[in-house]
Amino acid sequence: MTKTVSTSSHSTQPVLKSSLFKENWRHFLQSKRAVFGLVCGTLLVFAAIFAPWITPQNPYDLMQLDILDSRLAPGSENGMGTFTYWLGTDGQGRDLYSAIVYGLRISLFVGLGSALIASVLGTTLGIVSAYFGGRVDAVLMRTVDLMLSFPSILVAMMILAYLGKGVGNVILTLVILEWAYYARTARGQALAEREKEYVAAAHNLVIPKWRIMLRHILVNCLPALIVIAALQVARAITLEATMSFLGLGVPVTEPSLGLLISNGYQYMLSGQYWISFFPGIALLLTIVSLNLIADRLRDIYNPRAL
């Protein structure tokens, strides 16, 4: 009889998780803005993944560039007449459509990569801080307060000025800037979960501390962390674009959206608006779609919002 009850209780857990996911998904689809953000975000991600197959040119391959095709207006043909520059070209002769899609690759890679690393690091430190308390909590939280007290752009400029340009250096810089947000959020959620009865029951069963933190406390902190992650990806992409616009981000040979905007800024007053305008639209769509998704997730995981 005991075995039967145990088996049925375990079998109901996937059902409960499935029903909870379906309920949250239903609430998500009720927002037209969130659906718009999800559709735009999905299309942008697919465009970045399949960039070599949907673009006529590899803008990172200098052998494919022709300086004579530089700053051509949208709709112009290349010098060989083999394809049309539907969005025009920049000052180096890059097809802007191809450059935007490839630049989107770098922007998303930097944003998602830095958010993933920062979330793992910050969440781990936040849960450890809340669980153990005392000096561990004091040292970690004072470090978090110190990190959050400095302007992000100023810190990023200082780090990148020392490390130099490069995608890896940009990701490292963003991780240094972002982990504190995850740590603060994870600590706040873990403090509330630590006082609940299921944690006390786990202690009475002599379950290892690492398992309590990972299998019990962390799982119940995930909703808030998911919202923070969505917001931080958009913030990371914005910071990367800002650094690249200032000339401290990715190298010129692998331009992101921010660097593409910077390359066309000097031509704005001469009427060649498209060099900065179209990359700016792509960057705006990326950030807006991520923010719309994050706002809806925040509403769903807030019980008082529904």
Side-chain angles (χ1 to χ4, degrees):
M1 183 66 181
T2 305
K3 292 182 179 179
T4 303
V5 174
S6 176
T7 303
S8 63
S9 64
H10 284 290
S11 64
T12 57
Q13 291 180 2
V15 176
L16 292 174
K17 292 180 180 179
S18 176
S19 61
L20 180 60
F21 174 79
K22 290 180 180 178
E23 184 69 13
N24 290 337
W25 178 247
R26 184 178 64 84
H27 285 305
F28 184 89
L29 294 179
Q30 289 177 352
S31 172
K32 294 182 180 179
R33 292 182 300 176
V35 173
F36 172 78
L38 180 62
V39 171
C40 286
T42 303
L43 291 176
L44 291 172
V45 170
F46 273 96
I49 293 174
F50 297 104
W53 293 276
I54 63 174
T55 55
Q57 180 189 84
N58 182 355
Y60 302 156
D61 186 359
L62 299 180
M63 298 299 294
Q64 297 187 25
L65 305 183
D66 187 353
I67 194 64
L68 297 178
D69 289 343
S70 63
R71 291 178 285 170
L72 293 179
S76 303
E77 291 187 351
N78 67 333
M80 302 295 294
T82 54
F83 63 86
T84 302
Y85 298 120
W86 295 111
L87 299 183
T89 62
D90 63 4
Q92 286 73 41
R94 296 188 185 94
D95 172 38
L96 266 183
Y97 165 66
S98 302
I100 288 172
V101 175
Y102 273 83
L104 188 63
R105 258 186 161 186
I106 292 184
S107 296
L108 290 175
F109 176 74
V110 169
L112 294 172
S114 62
L116 178 62
I117 299 173
S119 64
V120 173
L121 176 62
T123 300
T124 301
L125 293 176
I127 292 178
V128 168
S129 176
Y131 187 83
F132 290 100
R135 289 186 177 181
V136 175
D137 183 43
V139 171
L140 288 176
M141 287 304 103
R142 296 299 75 77
T143 305
V144 168
D145 293 337
L146 183 65
M147 291 299 302
L148 296 178
S149 63
F150 291 102
S152 298
I153 295 179
L154 178 61
V155 175
M157 291 176 63
M158 293 173 60
I159 297 174
L160 288 174
Y162 175 76
L163 296 177
K165 297 181 180 180
V167 175
N169 292 338
V170 173
I171 292 177
L172 175 61
T173 301
L174 293 174
V175 170
I176 295 173
L177 294 174
E178 290 182 349
W179 73 268
Y181 292 93
Y182 294 97
R184 174 64 61 83
T185 303
R187 176 184 179 270
Q189 296 293 317
L191 283 175
E193 297 296 328
R194 188 185 64 176
E195 305 301 327
K196 293 185 178 180
E197 294 181 355
Y198 73 88
V199 176
H203 282 298
N204 293 333
L205 294 173
V206 199
I207 295 178
K209 294 180 179 179
W210 66 267
R211 188 173 181 181
I212 295 175
M213 288 187 287
L214 293 180
R215 296 290 301 273
H216 300 281
I217 296 179
L218 174 60
V219 172
N220 290 283
C221 295
L222 285 179
L225 293 172
I226 291 173
V227 177
I228 292 296
L231 291 171
Q232 288 303 109
V233 170
R235 181 174 180 269
I237 292 175
T238 304
L239 283 174
E240 183 277 324
T242 303
M243 292 300 100
S244 296
F245 183 85
L246 296 175
L248 296 173
V250 297
V252 180
T253 54
E254 298 181 358
S256 65
L257 295 178
L259 189 56
L260 290 174
I261 297 172
S262 176
N263 290 339
Y265 182 74
Q266 56 183 320
Y267 303 114
M268 289 290 288
L269 296 179
S270 62
Q272 298 167 345
Y273 65 91
W274 59 88
I275 303 178
S276 286
F277 178 76
F278 292 120
I281 293 297
L283 179 62
L284 179 64
L285 280 176
T286 304
I287 296 172
V288 168
S289 61
L290 289 171
N291 283 328
L292 290 176
I293 294 172
D295 288 342
R296 188 55 182 169
L297 290 175
R298 181 174 55 193
D299 294 339
I300 291 174
Y301 290 120
N302 181 7
R304 291 172 294 184
L306 295 175

